[in-house]
Structures are given as structure tokens and as C-alpha cells.
Amino acid sequence: MLILFNPAYRMHRTIILLICLQVSLAGNSQTNDITLLRDIYHNRNIQFDKPINILSESVKPISMVLPASLIIYGYFDKDIDTWDQGVRSALSIGSAMAVTYTLKYTINRQRPYERYLDIIPLTDESTSSFPSGHTTAAFATATTLTMLKPRWYVIIPAYGYAGMVAYSRMHLGMHYPSDVLMGALIGSGCSFASFKLNKLLKSGFLYPRKK
């Protein structure tokens, strides 16, 4: 019975439901969004509210510390490769957040608790709902880590953490499932594209070859 109250179990169930949500008819998307959010929010174990909020907020410092630590270490140790990894990480995460906040202020979607009285927020935010900035940062950081170190012992914990952050935003009543899903796509996509573009630039593929 304890598994029913395990956040990881709820996260896996949520991912499955998110996939089902995306294949639903467009006309029912808003209904499915709030239905899934209510299922997660009202059936949560309130004992996890505080630790899940801490987990959710941890993504902000982590997403800044990763590139900053690589840049600082590389600079003072005169390690150009580590410094370059830090710069690429900063550009990767930064580009993802730029896309997310552009969409936030362009679309300006209301938070769930601003439309539905039964959803009471468990933390504070001042920006609009779509897409989820926390989820974007988590998946951008996870993708950055896996691009820097493509090993299973990095990939599994990195994306496991990102998935828990995504779940936390719905557990706390802060985002619709579609906000979270789009944040994950933007974070992963922008980071992947940023690293690939950087690789192309370094290889000289985009530049004319010298004769």
C-alpha cells in the first residue's frame, strides 16, 4: 500500500496520463487538462507537500550552479575544455529559459488556481502558467548533463530528478499538465539543439572550407 503514496509511483502514472492527454481531441484539451490536474492535486499525500515544494524550488539554484561551477573551475584551473562545457551549458539552459519566458508573456495563460476555486496553490509565483519554467529548467539541466556525460548513471538520475520536478508543479497546484509537458519539450529540445549547433560550428560544417 505504501507504493500508492510514493511520489515516484505517482510520477510514472502521471507520465502515462500525460501521453493519453496529448492524443485526446483538441476540443477537449482544456477539460482533460483540469481533470488530470484535479486527479493529481486532490489525491496527493499532503505529508509530501513541504518536501516536494523544496524539491521544486531546488531546480533554480541547480540550473545556475551547474554552468557557473564549470566556468569558474575551468577559468581558475586554466582548463579550456571544462570552461567550454560551462559556456555551452549556460547557453543551453539560457536559450531554453528564453523560449519559455517568451511564450509565458506572449500567451499569458492563467494559473489553474486563478480559474478553478478547488485548486489552492501551495507556493507563490508571479508569472503566467504556460509553459512551466521550473520544468523547462529541470529538463534543460538534465539534457545538458547527459550531453556532457552520456552515461546511464548520469542519464537515469538526471531525468528522474527532472521528472519529479515536473510532477511537483502539478502536485503543488501551480501548473496544468500541458504546461509541464511543454516545459519538458522546450527544456530538452533547446538544450539538445544548442549542443548540436555548437558541435556543427566547431566542426566547421557551417563555414566554407579553405582551399
Side-chain angles (χ1 to χ4, degrees):
M1 292 296 293
L2 289 177
I3 193 172
L4 297 176
F5 301 101
N6 190 319
Y9 167 79
R10 289 183 177 277
M11 181 192 73
H12 294 144
R13 185 183 70 169
T14 299
I15 291 172
I16 294 172
L17 290 172
L18 281 172
I19 295 172
C20 294
L21 173 68
Q22 293 306 302
V23 298
S24 298
L25 294 175
N28 294 325
S29 60
Q30 181 64 35
T31 300
N32 290 331
D33 237 6
I34 188 58
T35 298
L36 178 52
L37 175 59
R38 281 174 169 151
D39 178 60
I40 295 166
Y41 178 83
H42 291 300
N43 292 297
R44 75 187 193 280
N45 187 330
I46 62 174
Q47 293 180 356
F48 287 112
D49 287 354
K50 188 171 182 179
I52 283 180
N53 190 26
I54 293 173
L55 170 74
S56 180
E57 293 305 317
S58 69
V59 74
K60 295 178 180 178
I62 288 175
S63 63
M64 291 186 288
V65 166
L66 171 64
S69 60
L70 291 172
I71 291 172
I72 292 171
Y73 177 84
Y75 178 81
F76 285 104
D77 199 53
K78 295 183 173 22
D79 184 342
I80 189 64
D81 290 333
T82 301
W83 184 86
D84 181 64
Q85 288 179 348
V87 172
R88 282 187 289 158
S89 299
L91 292 173
S92 174
I93 297 170
S95 64
M97 297 309 296
V99 171
T100 285
Y101 277 89
T102 297
L103 289 174
K104 273 183 178 290
Y105 289 109
T106 301
I107 298 172
N108 198 28
R109 186 185 195 185
Q110 288 183 311
R111 295 269 179 176
Y113 54 83
E114 294 177 312
R115 293 194 61 181
Y116 303 97
L117 296 178
D118 60 313
I119 305 295
I120 300 172
L122 303 180
T123 186
D124 297 321
E125 290 293 341
S126 59
T127 58
S128 56
S129 190
F130 183 88
S132 167
H134 286 72
T135 305
T136 297
F139 275 86
T141 303
T143 303
T144 296
L145 280 171
T146 58
M147 294 295 286
L148 292 174
K149 191 78 171 179
R151 300 288 187 272
W152 68 266
Y153 51 83
V154 173
I155 296 170
I156 293 175
Y159 280 108
Y161 170 76
M164 288 301 297
V165 170
Y167 166 80
S168 75
R169 303 310 292 163
M170 296 176 288
H171 179 105
L172 299 170
M174 301 305 295
H175 283 287
Y176 294 102
S178 57
D179 300 338
V180 166
L181 182 59
M182 184 55 69
L185 291 173
I186 292 172
S188 300
C190 286
S191 293
F192 181 81
S194 177
F195 269 81
K196 288 299 181 182
L197 178 60
N198 183 271
K199 186 176 181 180
L200 285 173
L201 289 170
K202 282 195 165 184
S203 69
F205 180 78
L206 298 180
Y207 294 95
R209 296 181 179 276
K210 293 182 179 179
K211 295 182 180 180

